[in-house]
Every structure is written in structure tokens, then in C-alpha cells.
Amino acid sequence: MITIKEATTKPELKQFVKFPFSLYKGNQYWVPPIINDELGSFDKDKNPAFKSAEAWFFLAYRDGKIVGRVAAIINWLEVKEQGLKKMRFGWFDFVDDKEVSKTLLNKVTEIGKANGLAYMEGPVGFSNLDKVGVLIDGFDHLGTMITWYNHPYYQSHYEQFGMVKEKGYLENKFLFSAADPKLFTKANELVKLRYGLRPMNFKKSEEIMPWVDKMFDLFNATYAKLSSFVKITEVQKAYFKKRYISFINPEYIKFVVDENDELVAFAIVMPSFSKALQKANGKLFPFGVFHLLRAKKQSKDVIFYLIGIHPEYQSKGVTAVIFNEYYHTFTKKGIVNCIRTPELEENIAIRQLWKHFNPVTHKKRWTYRKEL
């Protein structure tokens, strides 16, 4: 018999966070989160997502042992402002027992119906900057710190519950050596001259901070038309600025501004922390922080995390300016692999940006939907 318990106390939430550590023990492709960091994202006093969202965290037990978990989420900004009566769920992990997954999803269904919502979709997080999608293909590739990993049996559990594919996401990678500078060096100069643009590079995080709010405004404007997009709020800007920006190598953040110093494009790249996180095994201390700092300085793999281009400058070749700057930075760093985060299948424009780099789709992931 499966019993469900809501995790509300810090010890219970810690059990919620730590469940995948046993589920994926010995798996060479799973990348563990930092436990305290994950707990912080579930803290209503720390994560500003809770100002416009509610979340419930459930653990499934069998014979007193945890066998599954799920977070049920309602983003009221999405429901009230966008009119999407969606019940979200994420952080969904379970042993290969369909009674377990069914019982957890039934709990999500129950909350959705009680709040008058129309359908449920997952796995997703609180916002567009959270992890998304269940892995459908690419189980033999190392995960990243900004994606979920899962066992191959997950897909059958979703479909057994009567869920259908809602959105598809692709993850691509390419060798930095495939980046032929001839493809963007000349275009870079032409675009800068034609539109009066100039790139901005940084050496210190403090130099970036005054621009961060404008960057998130541009991010909102760039993706506003995508069906799944929920804008980043003012309080979330402050949270992400404090939590992430100072941790990213400043030389991996590139801006493009116009003649009036207005931001028209940006890109954020991160070194891959995957192997460092595996070594840390969920803990920063005593040695985890050293693994992460070493990866920040020495990793030869990078992840393209965010890219944004003002709607007025899209399809005008501005990415050539960004690529040109990264080419010089990556050459100095000796970068080998460039990895892209999950991109919507419907976002053809973003894939067109990379077509000359011979990208390979190495992972596919979906979100699933079911009417309530």
C-alpha cells in the first residue's frame, strides 16, 4: 500500500530533496543538486516565486520507505494574467512501480481540481528559469545542473496515467572547433557598423550588476510570444541577481548595446559544473566548494544558458557580434564542447542561430499534459 505525506518541515523537505540520491545512486549520468541550494528554492521566505505561486511537496511511502516524490505548483501569475488554468508539477521522481507514480499524480490532480484549474502539465518548475521536461532520449549523456535526469521507465508511467505530450524540447551540443570564425567575423563588423552597435565584455561581476535588471527586461521581451513563457517579476530579478550572477564567470556574459547604450542583446554562458557536482555529492563543505571553484576556472565544457535579442533586432545578424566575442574568449580558455540548454521544438528561430556549427541533438525531453 502506498501512503502520501506532505513534506512541510525542514527535515521532511530535506528527505524530499535527498530521495533522488538513493534512486540514482551509482548512475554515472545523474548530476546531484547542492542540497542546501535546493532547500532554499523551496523556502517561502527565500524564493520570490512564492509571491505569485503556491507549492505543495509530497512524499510517497511504502512500508515506511520513501519510494517517490512530487511538487504540485500553481503559478497564479500564469493563471490570472495569462488565463492559463494550468496545474504545474515537477521534481517528480519514483521507483518503477506504477502504483507509486499514479498515487502521486492523483494528488496533483486533486489540488488542481480543488482550485478550479483545467489541466495539469509537467514536469516543470515555478518559472521559465527552472528545470523542465522529462528525458525521453539521451539517457547515456551526462546531465547538467540546470536539467533533470531520469530513468528510461518514466515515460511509460506518464502515458499509463493517460497523459499526452504537451511540449517537446531539444538539447544540442557542438565542438568549439566547429565554430568557423569566417561565418561571423565579417558579419560582426557589418552589423556593428550598420546599426551602431558595440559589444560589452566584463572582467568583474560588479561591472555586470547595474545591467542585470535591463537584461531580464530584455529576456521578457525576447520570449514573450512563446506559448509557455511566464515573465520574470521584479522580485525575481533581485533574487536571481543575488543567487546566480555573481557565480557566473564575468567573461562569459556578453552584452550588445546601441549608440545610446541601450541593451539590444545579451548572452550568458556557464562552465559545466556537472562533474564537480558529482564529486560534491550534494554538499558544499568540506570539499564540494573546491570542486565547483576548480570547474569554474578550468572546465573545458560550457553551457549556453540564456540568450536574448530585442524584437526590433531579431533576424538582423546581431548574434554575429555575440559569437565573435565568445570566439575570442573560448579560444583563450581552450573550450572543447559547447552545450545548449533545452530549447522548445517550436522555437525554430533559435535553432537557426546555430545551424553553421554542426550541432548534434543528443537529448530530447517532453512535458506531459492531462485534462482535469
Side-chain angles (χ1 to χ4, degrees):
M1 179 179 176
I2 307 301
T3 57
I4 300 292
K5 182 179 181 181
E6 184 178 357
T8 56
T9 67
K10 189 170 182 178
E12 289 168 344
L13 286 169
K14 194 169 185 178
Q15 288 181 313
F16 183 93
V17 170
K18 292 183 71 174
F19 170 65
F21 284 75
S22 59
L23 187 65
Y24 296 103
K25 186 176 182 179
N27 188 302
Q28 61 181 312
Y29 305 112
W30 179 66
V31 175
I34 296 298
I35 294 170
N36 285 338
D37 189 53
E38 193 93 320
L39 284 170
S41 68
F42 297 154
D43 190 325
K44 295 178 174 61
D45 295 324
K46 293 181 179 179
N47 189 346
F50 286 100
K51 292 187 181 298
S52 57
E54 289 183 80
W56 300 259
F57 305 95
F58 297 104
L59 289 167
Y61 292 82
R62 182 174 56 204
D63 300 326
K65 182 181 179 181
I66 297 174
V67 289
R69 68 170 189 173
V70 72
I73 304 163
I74 302 176
N75 186 318
W76 289 111
L77 193 66
E78 179 178 57
V79 174
K80 294 177 180 179
E81 292 194 11
Q82 293 182 286
L84 293 175
K85 294 188 175 183
K86 177 166 72 178
M87 181 74 221
R88 292 171 165 244
F89 68 92
W91 290 272
F92 185 35
D93 291 289
F94 43 87
V95 298
D96 193 7
D97 182 335
K98 289 189 170 64
E99 184 183 1
V100 174
S101 57
K102 179 181 178 181
T103 305
L104 287 166
L105 289 173
N106 277 337
K107 197 66 184 176
V108 177
T109 301
E110 178 186 314
I111 294 174
K113 287 182 176 179
N115 284 276
L117 301 179
Y119 68 98
M120 58 193 286
E121 182 187 353
V124 294
F126 296 99
S127 75
N128 298 86
L129 294 181
D130 287 317
K131 300 175 182 180
V132 65
V134 60
L135 195 62
I136 298 298
D137 186 37
F139 303 100
D140 57 348
H141 290 272
L142 184 64
T144 71
M145 68 179 293
I146 49 180
T147 55
W148 282 309
Y149 183 85
N150 56 264
H151 290 302
Y153 62 75
Y154 275 39
Q155 183 176 6
S156 66
H157 284 246
Y158 283 89
E159 294 173 359
Q160 179 74 27
F161 191 71
M163 305 193 81
V164 297
K165 177 186 176 183
E166 172 68 354
K167 299 182 185 74
Y169 295 83
L170 304 176
E171 292 181 55
N172 295 275
K173 64 180 181 179
F174 58 90
L175 291 171
F176 175 61
S177 58
D180 183 354
K182 294 177 183 177
L183 297 171
F184 46 80
T185 300
K186 185 177 180 179
N188 157 64
E189 296 300 333
L190 290 173
V191 169
K192 287 191 295 186
L193 184 62
R194 179 177 298 171
Y195 301 110
L197 305 179
R198 66 179 177 87
M200 290 185 66
N201 291 286
F202 304 96
K203 293 182 179 180
K204 297 180 180 179
S205 298
E206 296 78 35
E207 299 170 353
I208 302 168
M209 292 304 180
W211 292 85
V212 174
D213 286 350
K214 291 182 179 181
M215 181 188 74
F216 282 124
D217 287 339
L218 181 53
F219 177 77
N220 283 338
T222 301
Y223 296 99
K225 293 182 179 179
L226 291 179
S227 60
S228 63
F229 187 74
V230 181
K231 71 177 183 180
I232 300 170
T233 64
E234 294 301 316
V235 289
Q236 286 176 313
K237 290 177 189 177
Y239 174 71
F240 290 125
K241 182 190 300 185
K242 180 180 179 181
R243 186 178 180 190
Y244 294 116
I245 298 300
S246 62
F247 194 67
I248 299 172
N249 305 41
E251 65 269 32
Y252 284 173
I253 297 179
K254 307 294 184 184
F255 289 170
V256 179
V257 297
D258 65 13
E259 293 172 324
N260 299 314
D261 283 343
E262 291 296 325
L263 189 63
V264 302
F266 76 91
I268 297 178
V269 168
M270 296 192 301
S272 174
F273 292 105
S274 297
K275 293 179 180 178
L277 286 167
Q278 288 181 328
K279 292 176 182 177
N281 198 33
K283 298 178 182 179
L284 281 178
F285 301 101
F287 303 115
V289 66
F290 296 109
H291 295 307
L292 293 172
L293 288 173
R294 187 179 297 115
K296 183 178 180 180
K297 292 181 179 179
Q298 300 179 6
S299 178
K300 301 305 178 185
D301 297 344
V302 293
I303 299 172
F304 279 80
Y305 182 43
L306 291 178
I307 186 167
I309 302 172
H310 193 283
E312 292 182 8
Y313 285 89
Q314 291 174 11
S315 302
K316 291 184 177 179
V318 178
T319 51
V321 181
I322 294 174
F323 291 158
N324 188 67
E325 298 305 313
Y326 276 125
Y327 183 79
H328 295 301
T329 300
F330 291 171
T331 299
K332 290 179 183 178
K333 291 280 188 178
I335 297 305
V336 176
N337 293 300
C338 298
I339 304 163
R340 284 151 50 200
T341 51
E343 297 161 352
L344 276 167
E345 287 177 339
E346 69 184 62
N347 194 351
I348 298 173
I350 197 72
R351 294 205 299 280
Q352 288 295 104
L353 295 180
W354 309 98
K355 62 182 180 180
H356 296 300
F357 297 94
N358 299 317
V360 174
T361 299
H362 64 295
K363 296 179 191 174
K364 296 179 181 179
R365 54 183 71 242
W366 296 352
T367 60
Y368 275 89
R369 171 183 178 134
K370 186 178 182 181
E371 304 303 312
L372 297 175

